[in-house]
Amino acid sequence: MRKKAIVTGASRGIGRGIALCLAENGYDIAFSYKSKEEEAMETADGIERQGAKAWYFQADLEKPQEGKRLFDRALESLGGLDLLVNNAGVTRFQSILELTMEQTMEMVSLDFLNYILMSHYAAGYMKEHGIRGNIIQITSSRAQRAYPGDAVYGGIKAALNRASCSMALDLAPYGIRVNCVAPGAVCIRTPQEIERDGLTDLAGFWEGLGSRIPLKRNGSPEDIGKAVVFLASECASYITGEVLRVDGGLILPGMPEKIQEGKTDWSGMA
């Protein structure tokens, strides 16, 4: 029997990678998208090519009532729930000197409160029906390593990691596990998509960054999907309240004491 998963924000990027990996590993998927239905249709097609069932729902998850509406519709379509993956979010970088209330509240509502509420709905359903299921939060390596301009975004991701530890304690008596996956630099757009969408500030960015990561490449949505599949599987049945960082070693080195001329990696820099 196929398992059943809800994935928020799965029409593209990391969410799509998660949904496709889950479909390949025995899950039917209900997922949300915010605005681009054609991208949601592409994800659904990919899921169905894996032999899985797919449903997609438009939802503006910044609004608290939208989460409950999405959950109820997804649950009705799936007919049950084994896994919730909270992935939908927005990334905004702003110096504390240039903080805007609009962007701050957008991130607090979508990237934090929505995760808490969706976890509440899923946990309540699993407990009521005796399901030893999983809740997985997609956070970020920025929860652990600070960068300029990410006081709000990085702080929210750190809060999710911490909140998930308490959720894990609340839900452990019912056999429900709660874990986080923390991506590092994940390339979610091809050079063709960057050019098509006019994202000139990203031109060449991923190519330059990948060579500086210890494992010599950027992450892919599939890398994150595989981590989610693992944490939701019986192979991880004794893991709860943990954060699995998937970043190719990005944040391991910190600041080098010295940089040798011509060096593009971290070997021989200390």
Side-chain angles (χ1 to χ4, degrees):
M1 175 181 287
R2 297 188 69 85
K3 291 189 174 183
K4 305 172 190 300
I6 296 173
V7 183
T8 66
S11 61
R12 60 182 301 277
I14 288 175
R16 177 182 287 180
I18 292 168
L20 294 178
C21 284
L22 288 171
E24 185 179 2
N25 285 272
Y27 284 83
D28 292 330
I29 314 289
F31 67 93
S32 70
Y33 72 97
K34 182 174 183 179
S35 59
K36 296 184 178 179
E37 186 175 8
E38 64 275 15
E39 292 183 344
M41 292 174 64
E42 290 175 11
T43 299
D45 287 344
I47 291 170
E48 290 171 352
R49 284 196 295 272
Q50 303 283 359
K53 294 179 181 178
W55 296 268
Y56 55 90
F57 304 98
Q58 193 282 328
D60 185 352
L61 293 172
E62 292 172 42
K63 303 172 183 176
Q65 66 273 18
E66 283 287 283
K68 185 64 165 67
R69 178 171 171 267
L70 167 65
F71 184 82
D72 289 345
R73 294 167 73 195
L75 190 62
E76 182 180 5
S77 297
L78 288 164
L81 184 65
D82 299 288
L83 168 65
L84 168 69
V85 182
N86 280 315
N87 168 74
V90 63
T91 304
R92 300 278 188 262
F93 299 130
Q94 51 184 356
S95 167
I96 196 67
L97 298 170
E98 300 165 353
L99 200 69
T100 68
M101 184 58 66
E102 182 181 3
Q103 288 192 349
T104 300
M105 292 310 299
E106 178 187 28
M107 284 188 282
V108 170
S109 296
L110 180 56
D111 293 4
F112 185 74
L113 291 178
N114 167 60
Y115 280 47
I116 300 299
L117 290 172
M118 293 295 291
S119 297
H120 165 69
Y121 304 142
Y125 178 85
M126 291 175 184
K127 174 181 177 293
E128 181 181 352
H129 292 83
I131 298 167
R132 300 173 70 85
N134 284 273
I135 298 171
I136 297 178
Q137 325 282 19
I138 305 304
T139 63
S140 172
S141 62
R142 287 175 179 267
Q144 184 175 346
R145 175 65 52 79
Y147 299 84
D150 72 354
V152 177
Y153 179 79
I156 285 171
K157 296 301 186 180
L160 281 170
N161 286 350
R162 170 60 183 79
S164 295
C165 293
S166 289
M167 290 184 207
L169 291 175
D170 290 340
L171 299 176
Y174 309 103
I176 302 167
R177 297 187 292 112
V178 185
N179 290 291
C180 300
V181 174
V186 177
C187 183
I188 60 173
R189 289 184 174 90
T190 66
Q192 293 76 18
E193 289 173 331
I194 289 172
E195 183 177 357
R196 180 198 67 195
D197 296 338
L199 303 171
T200 55
D201 57 327
L202 289 178
F205 171 77
W206 295 108
E207 294 84 348
L209 177 58
S211 64
R212 303 198 304 275
I213 293 172
L215 285 183
K216 293 295 189 182
R217 69 173 178 90
N218 296 297
S220 70
E222 185 182 14
D223 290 321
I224 310 307
K226 289 177 178 178
V228 169
V229 168
F230 165 69
L231 284 175
S233 74
E234 284 302 305
C235 293
S237 63
Y238 203 51
I239 298 174
T240 194
E242 279 297 332
V243 179
L244 176 56
R245 197 176 73 246
V246 185
D247 73 344
L250 173 68
I251 72 168
L252 291 176
M255 185 179 71
E257 292 181 3
K258 61 182 179 179
I259 298 177
Q260 296 179 7
E261 186 176 355
K263 281 284 188 181
T264 59
D265 59 28
W266 293 95
S267 61
M269 289 187 180

